[in-house]
Amino acid sequence: GYCAVTLLRGEKLTLVDVGYHARIVILTDRLQAMGIALTDIERVILTHAHWDHCFNLSAFPNAEVVIHQDEYDYIQHPNPLDWATPPWCRNIFDYAKSVTTVRDGDELEPGIRMLAVPGHSPGTLATLVESPAGTIGLVGDALPSRVAAGFLAPGIVFYDEALARQSARKIVDTCSVIYPGHVRPFRVEAGSFRYIEPQSLTLVNPPRNEDGSIHATISEAPPPSGPIFAASAKRSG
């Protein structure tokens, strides 16, 4: 459930996404371990405005907030059924030092440019970073996991499934390394995906059947198709 938060050291000290209140202590501790105070962050790039990715904006009072224009427009009048973008999400932007809206292809500084990847939300935004390892994509929930990359679709669609699948393909075709929205980064290699670091899953005190066997099922099912609410999900105000 953790939202990925990524630090970029460029012309400005930048975070891509900031997570939500329940994780602020972890985020603060990780930054302090690198000698960075919350007030040192100069820019926050939001992949999208869902509450689990933006709610800690108030912790960074000196940061310019960068968001796609379509996403910023949407949060002013979100769909009433969109539980990831409740009406009060727009109020968190009142804490920002400034808000800069961007579109596809905009360059924030040399080596850092924006890629529009709509579908999960109206204005989902990826940050592309050029490096010796190739193009690194910080893509948020356009591809929230390695599993989602395999299916070329986000796990949940809040806006438009066709756009979401097009965006997933665009990311895989563009990036050598992907930092997804909710798991560790992985490489794109000849049509397959490999975690940069070894991964493991530990189940603590799982439920058990009467014979002592573990009562649990693990599967990699395709993501659901279509928006999670009615066709009116495309309403942008």
Side-chain angles (χ1 to χ4, degrees), residues 99-111:
V99 177
T100 299
T101 57
V102 293
R103 293 194 179 277
D104 186 58
D106 287 353
E107 187 176 69
L108 295 186
E109 59 183 80

Side-chain angles (χ1 to χ4, degrees), residues 63-84:
E64 166 201 22
V65 176
V66 176
I67 186 172
H68 194 283
Q69 180 70 61
D70 291 348
E71 192 79 356
Y72 193 63
D73 290 343
Y74 176 75
I75 65 172
Q76 308 309 316
H77 303 282
N79 187 285
L81 300 178
D82 186 346
W83 50 261

Side-chain angles (χ1 to χ4, degrees), residues 91-196:
N91 298 334
I92 201 68
F93 287 80
D94 294 340
Y95 294 90
K97 177 182 178 181
S98 62
V99 177
T100 299
T101 57
V102 293
R103 293 194 179 277
D104 186 58
D106 287 353
E107 187 176 69
L108 295 186
E109 59 183 80
I112 299 179
R113 61 187 172 90
M114 303 289 94
L115 180 71
V117 286
H120 175 71
S121 70
T124 307
L125 185 69
T127 301
L128 301 183
V129 181
E130 299 304 326
S131 78
T135 301
I136 299 173
L138 315 176
V139 305
D141 289 355
L143 280 180
S145 67
R146 177 185 173 279
V147 172
F151 288 114
L152 286 177
I156 303 177
V157 174
F158 287 84
Y159 183 61
D160 187 294
E161 182 188 4
L163 284 177
R165 292 185 179 277
Q166 291 171 19
S167 294
R169 169 56 66 183
K170 185 190 301 185
I171 290 168
V172 170
D173 289 346
T174 301
C175 301
S176 300
V177 178
I178 294 174
Y179 278 66
H182 288 278
V183 299
R184 292 181 181 272
F186 53 89
R187 299 184 188 280
V188 181
E189 296 180 341
S192 63
F193 310 100
R194 180 172 61 84
Y195 284 116
I196 292 176

Side-chain angles (χ1 to χ4, degrees), residues 23-103:
R23 306 306 182 200
I24 188 60
V25 174
I26 295 174
L27 178 53
T28 301
D29 288 348
R30 296 288 175 86
L31 290 172
Q32 286 180 345
M34 293 183 284
I36 299 172
L38 300 181
T39 52
D40 293 336
I41 299 299
E42 301 168 275
R43 178 168 58 202
V44 167
I45 303 172
L46 291 177
T47 60
H48 57 305
H50 288 173
W51 64 269
D52 56 327
H53 291 253
C54 76
F55 212 43
N56 281 329
L57 279 181
S58 58
F60 303 97
N62 296 328
E64 166 201 22
V65 176
V66 176
I67 186 172
H68 194 283
Q69 180 70 61
D70 291 348
E71 192 79 356
Y72 193 63
D73 290 343
Y74 176 75
I75 65 172
Q76 308 309 316
H77 303 282
N79 187 285
L81 300 178
D82 186 346
W83 50 261
T85 317
W88 40 261
C89 269
R90 63 177 174 266
N91 298 334
I92 201 68
F93 287 80
D94 294 340
Y95 294 90
K97 177 182 178 181
S98 62
V99 177
T100 299
T101 57
V102 293
R103 293 194 179 277

Side-chain angles (χ1 to χ4, degrees), residues 203-224:
L203 298 178
V204 179
N205 298 323
R208 292 184 178 273
N209 298 313
E210 292 182 0
D211 62 1
S213 61
I214 294 176
H215 183 66
T217 301
I218 298 175
S219 65
E220 291 189 350

